[in-house]
């Protein structure tokens, strides 16, 4: 089929086999595939209403638009598509094309002469201004302009097109005669091979203007809304290269090439395509025609702005700042306030680590509202809310600000920003340790996306906000010990966002973190150490922190302390408060392992002050647990117990299952320690209450398969049962402890994160 396209020198872009630069000088030309579509239209007009059912005619009408707009396909695939809609009509089309291809040239001439009859009569079969009518008129006009030699080449191409289709039909028939088991295996491979060949054939020759525009708009829409349904990066780039081979000045193809290269993080090719897009935009004069002399400058400043955004995306901040300065200079010369607002937004992105960046952001939001740019204003509000969340502002003020941005979204129908807003609410509630609210917001986003469909049956649920919500959902389920549900969510994420998609890193990091936590809970430190490499590749800070946790669990105290100190300095420099607190808690635990609980107290108080200042409830509760454990070690269990009563409510309400288990285990230990000097009767009551708390802690640990913690709990239970004189219960716990102790390694005295 590729040779058919290359031999069509009768098409208006070629003269003596040389491709003209203006490949889209004419909107359409005749190809063998389009003759087959014309036969289909002619047969639909000749077939009476009674011969084809209403449902079949409806399916045929739905099939027509992609056939008219899409690229050329093989005859066998065309037969298959028609047969799925109306088998009777597929047979008629096949016979008609066969008679034309195996007949003479005059048969094709007669066919085009008869097409004009579709518009004749008082009630014509086709209206001239309809989609089908315009297509018929374009084909009749294009055919009438062909010379005799060009008509002969077209007929030869039609014969070759028919023969290729017949060969494919015979191959399919032979394949059906094979055995069922072999047929199933071969069919999968054959279908894959055929689809690849058909994609190569579809765009191997020059597309018409309409076909090219339809192809580019369809792929661009799929890349934005549902990347999995778009062509793979390699296939799409091959089609674009072939399209640019026939028309190097097609600016839109260069821009789609830029988007395609962004998918695979190819900085060189994406920069190359972006620059070519703006070069071609200026050369074609499209901007100048619509905007006068201003068009040239407009292209230059937006080229610089897009280049700045590209460098910023790849982390080249110095180059991004230079490009942004150039865009600002040109925009100021042209007095382009819209471009300047975009530049102002990117200035904030480049300088958001500075302490005064919020002033720039507030100014950007005000200016965006003033110039009537709701999209930029909403993004500014979202960024401002995110910054205020990291600064520790109260949740009610943040939600009020997001409510204002939501009003903008609904007023201007900005559905994409609605999704981003809900995903941001999910992240904020998780940051503040409110897992129930985060779960509610994540499910709200999933429900909204499942109801909103885009063109061509595409669901707009493959955006970054959807991936973020699903990752939060997987982590929330894993925290509650629902690993099967978390695996299902991750499986869905992998289907929605394949590894080569641009948002795949989100679920990859989420998956690695869940696997790491499970390995640590199960005491498989060697497995956790191997997972750290994958986490580091996706997030270096997270990877270093988890490496320190593994070293700490393996009793490599000095190495873990050095790593944590370096990480603490780095996180304080970049103002990552959440990680700073986590590192401080790990450092405090290292001091306990070194039998220095008094040194750990100032570190814990520093962590508590930070978590309270920034309203991080989850980390604040964890810090209080650590402080209570420190007080227990120092011999003041009564104060530890009163401190626990203050912190246990938020832990049981919104905490992870592992934290709930640790809290209940620590409560039991404090109860036993505080009842040491009590009267025998009261002491027995306290010990009974402690045993109940231990049973609850054991249930929590069992949910997340923490065998080491269960071992410590049953050991403590056995000691308490022995004190109370309950021999049978003591023996049961002792037997369970022995089984677990033989299966698991022993790492010394259980501390707070082993509780």
């Amino acid at each position: 089929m590729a040779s058919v396209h290359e031999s069509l020198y009768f098409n208006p872009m070629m003269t003596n086999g040389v491709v003209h630069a203006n490949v889209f000088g004419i909107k359409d030309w005749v190809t063998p595939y389009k003759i087959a579509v014309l036969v289909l239209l002619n047969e639909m007009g000749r077939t009476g209403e009674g011969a084809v059912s209403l449902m079949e005619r409806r399916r045929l009408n739905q099939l027509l638009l992609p056939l008219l707009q899409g690229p050329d396909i093989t005859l066998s695939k065309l037969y298959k598509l028609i047969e799925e809609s109306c088998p009777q009509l597929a047979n008629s089309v096949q016979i008609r094309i066969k008679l034309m291809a195996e007949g003479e040239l005059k048969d094709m001439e007669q066919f085009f002469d008869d097409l004009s009859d579709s518009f004749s009569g008082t009630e014509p079969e086709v209206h001239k201004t309809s989609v089908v009518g315009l297509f018929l008129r374009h084909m009749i006009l294009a055919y009438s302009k062909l010379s005799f030699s060009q008509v002969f080449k077209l007929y030869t191409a039609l014969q070759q097109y028919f023969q290729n289709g017949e060969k494919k039909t015979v191959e399919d028939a032979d394949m059906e005669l094979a055995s069922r088991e072999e047929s199933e295996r071969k069919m999968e491979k054959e279908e894959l091979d055929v689809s690849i060949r058909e994609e190569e054939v579809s765009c191997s020759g020059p597309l018409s203007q309409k076909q090219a525009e339809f192809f580019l708009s369809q792929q661009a829409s799929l890349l934005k809304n549902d990347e999995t349904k778009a062509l793979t990066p390699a296939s799409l780039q091959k089609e674009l290269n072939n399209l640019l081979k026939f028309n190097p000045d097609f600016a839109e193809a260069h821009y789609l090439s830029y988007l395609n290269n962004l998918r695979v993080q190819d900085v060189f090719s994406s920069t190359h395509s972006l620059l070519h897009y703006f070069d071609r935009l200026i050369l074609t004069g499209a901007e100048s025609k619509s905007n006068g002399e201003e068009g040239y400058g407009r292209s230059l400043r937006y080229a610089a702005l897009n280049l700045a955004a590209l460098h910023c995306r790849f982390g080249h901040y110095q180059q991004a700042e230079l490009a942004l300065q150039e865009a600002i200079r040109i925009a100021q010369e042209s007095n382009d306030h819209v471009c300047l607002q975009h530049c102002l937004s990117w200035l904030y992105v480049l300088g958001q680590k500075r302490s005064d960046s919020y002033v720039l952001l507030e100014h950007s939001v005000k200016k965006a509202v003033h110039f009537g740019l709701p999209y930029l204003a909403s993004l500014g509000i979202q960024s401002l809310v995110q910054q205020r969340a990291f600064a520790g502002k109260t949740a009610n003020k943040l939600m009020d600000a997001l409510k204002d941005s939501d009003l903008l979204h609904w007023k201007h129908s900005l559905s994409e920003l609605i999704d981003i807003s809900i995903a941001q609410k999910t992240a904020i509630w998780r940051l503040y340790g409110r897992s129930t609210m985060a779960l509610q917001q994540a499910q709200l986003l999933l429900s909204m996306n499942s109801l909103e469909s885009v063109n061509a049956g595409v669901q707009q649920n493959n955006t970054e906000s959807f991936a973020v919500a699903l990752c939060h959902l997987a982590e929330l389920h894993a925290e509650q010990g629902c690993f099967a549900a978390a695996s299902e969510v991750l499986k869905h994420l992998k289907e929605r966002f394949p590894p080569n998609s641009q948002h795949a890193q989100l679920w990859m990091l989420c998956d690695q973190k869940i696997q790491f936590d499970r390995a640590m809970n199960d005491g498989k430190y060697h497995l956790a150490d191997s997972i750290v490499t994958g986490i580091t590749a996706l997030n270096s800070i997270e990877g270093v922190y988890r490496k320190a946790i593994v070293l700490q669990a393996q009793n490599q105290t000095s190495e873990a302390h050095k790593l944590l100190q370096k990480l603490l300095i780095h996180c304080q420099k970049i103002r990552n408060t959440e990680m700073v607190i986590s590192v401080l808690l790990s450092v405090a635990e290292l001091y306990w392992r070194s039998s220095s609980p008094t040194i750990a107290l100032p570190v814990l108080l520093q962590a508590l002050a930070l978590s309270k200042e920034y309203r991080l409830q989850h980390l604040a509760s964890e810090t209080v647990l650590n402080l209570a454990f420190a007080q227990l070690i120092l011999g003041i269990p009564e104060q530890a117990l009163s401190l626990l009563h203050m912190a246990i409510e938020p832990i049981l309400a919104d905490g992870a299952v592992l934290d709930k288990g640790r809290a209940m285990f620590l409560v039991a230990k404090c109860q036993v320690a505080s009842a040491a000097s009590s009267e025998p009767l009261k002491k027995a009551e306290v010990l009974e209450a402690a045993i109940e708390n231990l049973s609850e802690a054991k249930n929590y640990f069992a949910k997340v398969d923490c065998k080491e913690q269960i071992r410590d709990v049953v050991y403590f239970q056995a000691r308490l049962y022995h004190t109370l004189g309950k021999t049978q219960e003591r023996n049961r716990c002792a037997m369970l402890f022995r089984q677990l102790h033989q299966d698991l390694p022993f790492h010394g005295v259980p501390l707070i994160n082993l509780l």
Side-chain angles (χ1 to χ4, degrees):
M1 186 59 191
S3 61
V4 172
H5 276 296
E6 290 167 4
S7 67
L8 295 183
Y9 298 126
F10 55 84
N11 76 53
M13 291 95 58
M14 291 189 180
T15 305
N16 298 325
V18 179
V19 182
H20 287 179
N22 186 13
V23 72
F24 297 140
I26 190 169
K27 291 184 179 296
D28 247 326
W29 58 87
V30 189
T31 63
Y33 162 74
K34 289 175 182 173
I35 293 176
V37 175
L38 289 171
V39 172
L40 170 63
L41 294 171
N42 191 256
E43 287 296 321
M44 287 178 65
R46 293 171 57 183
T47 306
E49 294 185 2
V52 179
S53 66
L54 181 62
M55 188 58 68
E56 288 176 337
R57 187 166 289 277
R58 183 177 296 172
R59 286 198 295 263
L60 284 169
N61 291 336
Q62 290 176 342
L63 176 65
L64 278 180
L65 194 59
L67 290 181
L68 297 179
Q69 291 182 332
D72 294 3
I73 59 176
T74 58
L75 189 60
S76 59
K77 186 171 183 180
L78 180 62
Y79 285 156
K80 186 177 179 182
L81 291 172
I82 300 172
E83 191 173 3
E84 289 173 355
S85 301
C86 181
Q88 177 188 350
L89 197 61
N91 189 41
S92 302
V93 171
Q94 190 172 6
I95 294 171
R96 188 83 177 274
I97 295 175
K98 182 177 181 181
L99 291 173
M100 191 186 303
E102 293 181 349
E104 299 178 357
L105 181 59
K106 65 179 183 180
D107 295 328
M108 188 177 72
E109 288 276 1
Q110 186 61 43
F111 171 72
F112 275 94
D113 290 340
D114 295 341
L115 281 179
S116 302
D117 297 338
S118 302
F119 303 109
S120 61
T122 55
E123 293 185 2
E125 297 174 1
V126 180
H127 292 283
K128 289 184 178 182
T129 56
S130 65
V131 175
V132 174
L134 289 172
F135 177 74
L136 288 173
R137 289 163 63 192
H138 285 159
M139 291 298 101
I140 294 170
L141 180 62
Y143 183 79
S144 64
K145 289 183 178 182
L146 299 179
S147 64
F148 178 76
S149 60
Q150 291 172 335
V151 171
F152 179 75
K153 286 183 179 180
L154 175 61
Y155 185 68
T156 306
L158 177 64
Q159 290 177 321
Q160 184 66 37
Y161 183 67
F162 171 73
Q163 290 171 7
N164 291 340
E166 286 295 303
K167 287 179 183 177
K168 181 65 181 65
T169 306
V170 171
E171 289 175 6
D172 291 343
D174 292 340
M175 196 174 295
E176 290 177 1
L177 297 176
S179 62
R180 180 167 297 181
E181 293 182 2
E182 293 179 357
S183 177
E184 288 178 359
R185 296 172 189 165
K186 289 182 180 179
M187 276 296 288
E188 291 180 4
K189 184 178 184 303
E190 184 67 20
E191 287 174 0
L192 179 62
D193 294 341
V194 168
S195 63
I196 293 172
R197 286 200 301 269
E198 287 171 352
E199 286 176 3
E200 292 174 355
V201 165
S202 64
C203 289
S204 60
L207 296 177
S208 67
Q209 181 182 6
K210 287 185 177 180
Q211 286 178 325
E213 289 175 352
F214 176 74
F215 173 75
L216 294 178
S217 63
Q218 184 187 51
Q219 291 299 316
S221 176
L222 289 173
L223 286 182
K224 179 185 177 184
N225 298 316
D226 199 347
E227 192 178 336
T228 54
K229 293 185 179 179
L231 292 177
T232 60
S235 300
L236 181 55
Q237 195 60 44
K238 186 174 182 180
E239 303 294 350
L240 291 171
N241 290 341
N242 191 71
L243 191 62
L244 291 168
K245 180 177 69 175
F246 291 100
N247 181 17
D249 294 331
F250 193 18
E252 287 76 7
H254 284 290
Y255 193 78
L256 186 60
S257 176
Y258 156 69
L259 295 178
N260 188 45
N261 286 310
L262 280 181
R263 297 164 70 189
V264 293
Q265 305 295 312
D266 187 347
V267 59
F268 175 78
S269 298
S270 55
T271 307
H272 180 78
S273 297
L274 181 64
L275 294 176
H276 269 289
Y277 165 69
F278 284 102
D279 287 345
R280 296 315 187 271
L281 202 64
I282 295 169
L283 287 173
T284 54
E287 289 287 330
S288 299
K289 289 176 183 177
S290 59
N291 299 298
E293 295 180 359
E294 174 61 19
Y296 181 81
R298 186 177 188 274
S299 294
L300 286 178
R301 57 181 175 268
Y302 278 101
L305 180 60
N306 278 273
L307 191 61
L310 176 65
H311 283 306
C312 187
R313 177 176 183 139
F314 286 107
H316 307 155
Y317 298 115
Q318 188 174 359
Q319 293 92 325
E321 193 168 349
L322 291 173
L324 196 58
Q325 288 174 2
E326 180 70 11
I328 292 171
R329 184 184 63 79
I330 303 173
Q332 285 175 338
E333 290 176 357
S334 306
N335 201 26
D336 188 345
H337 295 288
V338 176
C339 185
L340 284 171
Q341 277 309 114
H342 284 278
C343 293
L344 189 59
S345 300
W346 280 106
L347 268 178
Y348 162 72
V349 174
L350 290 174
Q352 58 183 326
K353 296 300 180 183
R354 296 201 303 261
S355 59
D356 60 341
S357 60
Y358 72 94
V359 178
L360 194 66
L361 190 56
E362 289 176 349
H363 182 66
S364 173
V365 172
K366 292 176 182 176
K367 284 289 185 181
V369 173
H370 174 72
F371 290 112
L373 302 171
Y375 194 92
L376 271 183
S378 176
L379 283 178
I381 294 173
Q382 301 277 1
S383 300
L384 201 57
V385 166
Q386 187 181 76
Q387 190 184 63
R388 295 292 171 84
F390 288 131
K393 300 298 179 183
T394 56
N396 62 329
K397 291 182 179 179
L398 298 180
M399 293 304 156
D400 285 342
L402 286 175
K403 182 185 69 176
D404 295 337
S405 70
D406 287 341
L407 292 176
L408 276 175
H409 303 157
W410 292 109
K411 182 179 179 181
H412 298 279
S413 300
L414 301 173
S415 59
E416 182 183 355
L417 292 181
I418 294 171
D419 299 344
I420 293 174
S421 176
I422 298 175
Q424 178 123 288
K425 290 175 185 175
T426 306
I428 289 172
W429 284 124
R430 278 210 73 197
L431 178 69
Y432 286 170
R434 305 286 180 149
S435 58
T436 307
M437 293 299 297
L439 190 65
Q440 181 193 51
Q441 291 295 324
Q443 290 177 341
L444 175 62
L445 177 58
L446 303 188
S447 301
M448 286 184 64
N449 271 296
S450 63
L451 296 175
E452 183 180 352
S453 62
V454 192
N455 295 332
V458 177
Q459 294 293 327
Q460 193 177 358
N461 51 8
N462 284 46
T463 56
E464 184 180 12
S465 54
F466 188 84
V468 168
L470 279 175
C471 287
H472 281 305
L473 207 59
E475 290 180 353
L476 287 168
H477 279 91
E479 286 178 359
Q480 300 305 318
C482 305
F483 294 113
S487 298
E488 286 296 320
V489 175
L490 286 169
K491 181 182 176 183
H492 182 71
L493 269 165
K494 292 172 185 177
E495 292 173 357
R496 288 285 181 191
F497 304 92
N500 61 351
S501 62
Q502 55 184 334
H503 303 312
Q505 289 187 0
L506 294 171
W507 65 257
M508 287 180 180
L509 180 60
C510 175
D511 189 19
Q512 294 283 313
K513 286 163 70 174
I514 291 174
Q515 288 184 35
F516 177 86
D517 291 337
R518 293 192 70 177
M520 290 296 295
N521 292 342
D522 205 17
K524 298 177 181 178
Y525 302 138
H526 63 286
L527 179 60
D529 196 19
S530 64
I531 297 172
V532 165
T533 307
I535 296 176
T536 307
L538 297 166
N539 188 326
S540 58
I541 294 177
E542 192 74 32
V544 172
Y545 172 66
R546 291 179 185 261
K547 177 66 177 179
I549 291 177
V550 174
L551 292 173
Q552 182 177 309
Q554 293 173 337
N555 288 329
Q556 299 181 35
T557 308
S558 58
E559 291 86 350
H561 187 265
K562 290 177 184 177
L563 209 58
L564 287 170
Q565 287 298 329
K566 289 180 181 179
L567 183 60
L568 181 63
I569 294 169
H570 177 69
C571 291
Q572 286 173 339
K573 184 179 179 181
I574 64 172
R575 299 181 183 178
N576 188 344
T577 309
E578 192 176 6
M579 184 57 71
V580 166
I581 297 170
S582 300
V583 171
L584 287 174
L585 293 177
S586 298
V587 170
E589 183 175 342
L590 284 176
Y591 290 140
W592 294 327
R593 288 183 180 275
S594 305
S595 302
S596 304
T598 52
I599 304 177
L601 284 175
V603 178
L604 289 173
L605 291 173
Q606 183 185 354
L608 183 61
L610 283 173
S611 56
K612 291 288 186 181
E613 180 184 353
Y614 289 92
R615 291 179 171 81
L616 305 177
Q617 178 184 285
H618 167 68
L619 290 173
S621 301
E622 191 174 344
T623 308
V624 171
L625 284 182
N626 283 267
L627 280 169
F629 183 69
Q631 291 177 335
L632 177 63
I633 293 175
L634 293 172
I636 43 177
E638 294 82 5
Q639 292 187 17
L641 199 58
S642 62
L643 196 62
L644 278 173
H645 287 315
M646 294 168 53
I648 202 165
E649 183 178 344
I651 293 175
L652 295 179
D654 294 301
V657 168
L658 189 59
D659 291 335
K660 294 176 183 178
R662 290 170 179 168
M664 298 309 298
F665 193 8
L666 186 56
V667 167
K669 281 193 168 188
C670 291
Q671 286 175 330
V672 173
S674 60
S677 58
S678 301
E679 297 177 359
L681 187 60
K682 186 178 180 181
K683 182 178 180 180
E685 292 178 359
V686 172
L687 293 184
E688 289 286 354
I691 289 174
E692 290 181 7
N693 289 331
L694 287 172
S695 299
E696 189 175 351
K698 185 171 69 173
N699 292 334
Y700 285 134
F701 290 139
K703 286 183 179 180
V704 287
D705 199 24
C706 293
K707 294 179 182 177
E708 287 193 8
Q709 287 83 345
I710 294 174
R711 177 185 63 183
D712 297 334
V713 169
V714 294
Y715 171 77
F716 202 32
Q717 275 185 321
R719 294 290 300 270
L720 294 181
Y721 280 129
H722 179 74
T723 304
L724 293 172
K726 297 183 178 182
T727 310
Q728 187 175 357
E729 290 84 352
R730 179 203 65 188
N731 292 342
R732 187 182 71 250
C733 291
M735 183 183 66
L736 184 58
F737 167 77
R738 183 179 179 182
Q739 291 174 353
L740 292 170
H741 191 62
Q742 288 174 346
D743 295 338
L744 296 171
F746 186 62
H747 294 288
V749 180
L751 298 173
I752 183 64
N753 77 333
L754 297 178
L755 290 179

